[in-house]
Amino acid sequence: MQKIEFSLLGRNNYKLTDFITIHIPTIGEIKKTEISELEYCQSVYFFTRTQCDLIVELYENGVDYRKINNYELFASFFNTEIQNQSIPNEIWSLMFENLDRSEIVTSIRKEDNKIVFCNKNGDLIIDEDIYEKIANIFRQINLKEKNTEYLKVPTDAGYKYIVDRMKLKHERMKRDKKNISSELDGYILLLVNNHNFKYNFQTVNDITIYDFYCSFKQIYKDKEVDGLLSAYSYGNVKAEDLTVNAWHHQAVEK
């Protein structure tokens, strides 16, 4: 994942441009209704997915995923989104602060003939560079990695193999879909039942999703180091295996 050189800890909003402010929702906002978590996750995915996430869908529409970049993919879908507004308004407001979709129009930039999105005054709202920043911030907020698997497949035979493999994976996911539960619930159960986490099932709703995930990473990085020390004390790990890197990684997380 591309590193972002600022902290979002304790923040509810981040101003990206003069026209775009990213909202960092609380756990309570995301889980307000039975389906709001799913809708929020799907909407975040709309901005963070890559061509490697849509290999089969693109193939079935006659598009080789190796021949389209992430922005081209996003622009084609976003053009439809601003017309139909398929993302519910209440979910859109969990992602953006005061960004009115009805004011966004599609335009072709004369200098490079690329699709960009402007407001009705002609001010630039989203181009490729801004889109990448939006996607990376949403990945950071929601503990997601950028999918670049199979990005460089050199041969057509390799491409067809990947498509067939991903088709099988999609079929398995469809069969298992009915068993999918809340991802956040799993994290909440782990943290609330950890003595290092200072929130309960009620107060956890007051912290942002970013602070929540940062707490998770910190607590379980500490557990990893504690596990190494415990293993060393029982003679299961050699002293040289307790590398400086383990301690350095813990310090960096803090």
Side-chain angles (χ1 to χ4, degrees), residues 14-240:
Y14 176 76
K15 186 175 180 180
L16 181 64
T17 70
D18 288 340
F19 302 99
I20 296 178
T21 296
I22 304 294
H23 179 60
I24 307 170
T26 65
I27 299 295
E29 287 176 324
I30 293 172
K31 295 182 70 65
K32 186 175 182 179
T33 69
E34 289 185 6
I35 64 169
S36 57
E37 179 187 344
L38 176 60
E39 289 178 327
Y40 176 75
C41 291
Q42 289 175 336
S43 301
V44 166
Y45 180 64
F46 179 91
F47 286 89
T48 60
R49 63 190 172 186
T50 71
Q51 67 268 56
C52 297
D53 291 305
L54 297 174
I55 291 173
V56 174
E57 292 87 343
L58 290 170
Y59 175 80
E60 291 175 346
N61 284 280
V63 179
D64 184 334
Y65 78 94
R66 300 171 298 174
K67 298 177 181 177
I68 184 171
N69 68 34
N70 291 332
Y71 180 69
E72 291 168 338
L73 183 65
F74 164 77
S76 64
F77 284 107
F78 192 61
N79 186 47
T80 302
E81 164 58 30
I82 58 178
Q83 294 178 36
N84 300 332
Q85 298 194 12
S86 55
I87 297 175
N89 287 331
E90 59 271 21
I91 301 300
W92 182 266
S93 66
L94 293 186
M95 303 172 69
F96 298 100
E97 188 82 8
N98 301 323
L99 179 61
D100 188 348
R101 283 175 289 180
S102 66
E103 292 293 317
I104 300 176
V105 295
T106 305
S107 181
I108 303 295
R109 190 160 52 193
K110 293 179 180 179
E111 308 93 90
D112 52 17
N113 209 36
K114 287 188 175 182
I115 294 176
V116 295
F117 299 93
C118 303
N119 62 22
K120 293 180 178 179
N121 295 325
D123 301 308
L124 178 67
I125 302 297
I126 299 175
D127 62 4
E128 186 166 1
D129 180 60
I130 294 172
Y131 161 70
E132 288 295 337
K133 290 176 180 176
I134 292 171
N136 282 326
I137 291 174
F138 278 137
R139 290 187 187 107
Q140 180 174 339
I141 290 172
N142 295 280
L143 200 68
K144 303 298 181 185
E145 293 291 334
K146 184 175 183 179
N147 184 4
T148 58
E149 189 177 18
Y150 308 127
L151 186 60
K152 297 179 180 179
V153 178
T155 66
D156 289 339
Y159 165 67
K160 188 61 172 63
Y161 169 78
I162 294 302
V163 169
D164 290 340
R165 181 175 178 178
M166 294 304 295
K167 282 182 178 179
L168 292 173
K169 182 178 179 180
H170 277 221
E171 288 302 315
R172 288 197 301 272
M173 289 175 65
K174 285 179 182 178
R175 289 196 300 269
D176 296 340
K177 193 172 183 179
K178 61 183 179 180
N179 298 320
I180 294 176
S181 59
S182 165
E183 180 178 302
L184 269 179
D185 280 357
Y187 283 108
I188 290 170
L189 282 168
L190 281 171
L191 286 183
V192 168
N193 287 286
N194 185 292
H195 69 278
N196 290 313
F197 190 66
K198 307 305 181 184
Y199 297 86
N200 58 37
F201 286 113
Q202 286 72 45
T203 57
V204 70
N205 289 311
D206 299 328
I207 65 174
T208 68
I209 185 70
Y210 178 77
D211 291 350
F212 177 79
Y213 280 137
C214 283
S215 298
F216 174 82
K217 288 195 295 183
Q218 180 60 58
I219 287 171
Y220 281 87
K221 180 53 63 180
D222 287 345
K223 284 177 69 68
E224 180 182 323
V225 173
D226 289 344
L228 282 172
L229 289 172
S230 178
Y232 171 65
S233 68
Y234 282 99
N236 296 324
V237 174
K238 297 178 181 178
E240 56 266 29

